[in-house]
């Protein structure tokens, strides 16, 4: 295998690593591009004391830490304010806010084992929580708990001591615990219950069938819509939002299933006056055995091509 092919085989997991660090797919891809440029330039000095994969991760981590010196942390609406209650009183989009972005699972689809192994560490709740950690602490937690590096390896990378790494790791774990990122939060229903839940949700949203949606949403469900800062907490307020925003009548909406951050997702298309269906939002769902417990609905049409989806869909015939 030549060097170019060896570099290429790690691209998907390096993008995922940089995404965990930066919370943005666009920034992650830029970071991986910079990583490869540095690797090409410095390969003559690479003494192969570690694998090429480990070497690339070291470079990528340094690139991300440098990028984080000049950027704001990526946020979700629920992290910056109290929930709203009036669907007719949505805050204007906040241009100064830097929002978390979803991660297309298709970037890891060439390696099914990698998708399974990284699913939990890529979940939106986890990546959002990581953004609360200081950059170096974030890097330590990812390297130790996600990539299973030895504390001594992390210390060497960050030019610090093993004791300092262990101390920082403990603080990071405590902070994540405060954010209630427990294992049982990520327990999705088994198939075929999961499949039925997703099918029912898509059909109910397309109609729309608010009675069915009420049955599918959990009591404590949460609905967020970046870049709109207003978010809604609890089934009653979420249903009030959906009742106000979903125009009645079938044939107005198309839900196309995809996946993001190891979670089920739907691309929502809305029919306009030209009879075509136009990209509206990308909904990433959090499922529990009780139903849909959270929806992060990214109101960004530019995300659709990243998921292999067209901006516009035209009726056949």
């Amino acid at each position: 295998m030549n060097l170019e092919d060896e570099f290429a085989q790690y691209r998907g997991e390096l993008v995922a690593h940089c995404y965990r660090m930066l919370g943005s797919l666009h920034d992650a891809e830029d970071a991986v591009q910079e990583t490869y440029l540095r690797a090409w330039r410095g390969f003559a000095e690479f003494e192969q004391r570690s694998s090429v994969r480990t070497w690339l991760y070291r470079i990528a981590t340094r690139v991300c830490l440098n990028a984080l010196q000049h950027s704001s942390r990526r946020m979700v609406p629920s992290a910056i304010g109290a929930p709203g209650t009036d669907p007719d009183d949505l805050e204007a989009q906040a241009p100064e806010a830097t929002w978390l972005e979803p991660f297309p699972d298709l970037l890891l689809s060439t390696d099914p084992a990698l998708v399974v192994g990284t699913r939990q560490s890529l979940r939106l709740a986890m990546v959002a929580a990581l953004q609360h950690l200081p950059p170096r602490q974030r890097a330590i937690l990812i390297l130790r708990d996600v990539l299973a590096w030895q504390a001594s390896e992390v210390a060497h990378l960050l030019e610090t001591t093993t004791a300092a790494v262990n101390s920082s790791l403990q603080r990071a774990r405590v902070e994540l615990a405060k954010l209630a990122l427990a294992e049982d939060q990520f327990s999705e229903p088994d198939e075929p219950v999961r499949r039925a839940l997703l099918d029912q949700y898509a059909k109910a949203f397309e109609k729309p069938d608010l009675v069915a949606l009420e049955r599918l949403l959990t009591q404590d469900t949460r609905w967020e819509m970046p870049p709109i800062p207003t978010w809604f907490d609890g089934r009653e307020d979420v249903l009030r939002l959906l009742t106000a925003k979903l125009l009645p009548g079938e044939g107005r909406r198309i839900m196309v299933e995809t996946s993001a951050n190891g979670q089920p997702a739907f691309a929502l298309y809305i029919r306009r006056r030209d009879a075509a269906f136009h990209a509206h939002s990308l909904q990433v769902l959090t499922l529990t055995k009780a139903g849909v417990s959270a929806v992060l609905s990214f109101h960004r049409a530019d995300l659709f091509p990243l998921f292999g989806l067209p901006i516009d869909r035209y009726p056949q015939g």
Side-chain angles (χ1 to χ4, degrees):
M1 180 184 299
N2 60 40
L3 185 60
E4 184 175 355
D5 290 339
E6 190 165 6
F7 279 7
Q9 72 174 327
Y10 301 121
R11 179 172 180 81
E13 60 181 288
L14 285 171
V15 173
H17 174 60
C18 293
Y19 170 76
R20 293 186 198 95
M21 287 287 297
L22 303 172
S24 161
L25 177 61
H26 292 89
D27 291 351
E29 290 183 325
D30 288 345
V32 171
Q33 184 66 26
E34 177 64 21
T35 296
Y36 281 147
L37 285 174
R38 294 189 185 189
W40 278 112
R41 292 169 182 163
F43 188 74
E45 300 175 4
F46 175 49
E47 299 177 353
Q48 297 188 344
R49 294 177 181 174
S50 65
S51 66
V52 169
R53 178 176 180 269
T54 298
W55 181 56
L56 289 172
Y57 268 101
R58 286 175 178 163
I59 298 173
T61 302
R62 293 191 183 105
V63 169
C64 290
L65 288 172
N66 183 65
L68 289 168
Q69 293 179 1
H70 313 286
S71 64
S72 302
R73 63 180 174 135
R74 295 278 170 168
M75 307 292 291
V76 292
S78 59
I80 61 175
T85 57
D86 185 354
D88 294 322
D89 186 26
L90 302 181
E91 293 181 60
Q93 297 183 12
E96 72 281 2
T98 307
W99 302 107
L100 187 72
E101 294 179 351
F103 184 91
D105 287 350
L106 59 84
L107 293 180
L108 300 176
S109 61
T110 55
D111 188 345
L114 187 60
V115 175
V116 174
T118 61
R119 187 185 304 271
Q120 182 167 316
S121 66
L122 280 175
R123 293 183 70 90
L124 278 171
M126 175 62 75
V127 178
L130 287 171
Q131 306 308 300
H132 289 268
L133 302 178
R136 283 173 65 89
Q137 199 175 93
R138 192 184 313 173
I140 288 170
L141 183 127
I142 293 170
L143 292 169
R144 292 283 285 121
D145 285 359
V146 177
L147 299 177
W149 280 30
Q150 297 294 321
S152 57
E153 294 178 288
V154 179
H156 177 71
L157 168 62
L158 299 179
E159 299 181 342
T160 187
T161 65
T162 299
V165 166
N166 290 332
S167 176
S168 186
L169 177 62
Q170 183 61 30
R171 290 196 300 273
R173 288 171 174 170
V174 169
E175 182 62 27
L176 292 191
K178 289 179 182 178
L179 296 169
L181 289 176
E183 182 78 21
D184 56 5
Q185 281 189 289
F186 305 130
S187 179
E188 290 190 355
D190 296 329
E191 299 285 359
V193 176
R194 178 181 181 277
R195 179 70 265 154
L197 177 60
L198 293 175
D199 289 344
Q200 292 166 18
Y201 177 84
K203 291 176 182 177
F205 210 90
E206 287 179 341
K207 282 190 174 181
D209 185 342
L210 277 300
V211 174
L213 285 171
E214 181 176 8
R215 185 176 65 252
L216 297 169
L217 300 174
T218 64
Q219 184 66 37
D220 61 349
T221 195
R222 184 176 66 253
W223 193 283
E224 304 182 62
M225 303 170 289
I228 299 170
T230 308
W231 61 288
F232 293 83
D233 191 32
R235 183 164 56 201
E236 182 178 343
D237 285 341
V238 169
L239 285 172
R240 187 179 294 115
L241 169 71
L242 297 180
T243 300
K245 300 303 180 183
L246 292 179
L247 295 177
E250 295 190 49
R252 293 180 179 272
R253 288 162 294 275
I254 296 176
M255 295 280 273
V256 177
E257 188 170 355
T258 182
S259 60
N261 297 79
Q263 299 172 235
F266 288 98
L268 172 62
Y269 290 86
I270 302 292
R271 191 183 67 191
R272 304 300 182 193
R273 291 183 178 179
D274 61 0
F277 289 86
H278 300 278
H280 179 270
S281 54
L282 186 81
Q283 299 181 9
V284 184
L285 279 59
T286 299
L287 304 184
T288 67
K289 294 179 180 179
V292 180
S293 65
V295 176
L296 241 171
S297 181
F298 296 89
H299 286 220
R300 285 181 49 187
D302 64 302
L303 293 173
F304 280 52
L306 302 177
F307 287 78
L309 298 168
I311 295 292
D312 303 313
R313 300 174 69 94
Y314 296 91
Q316 295 182 352

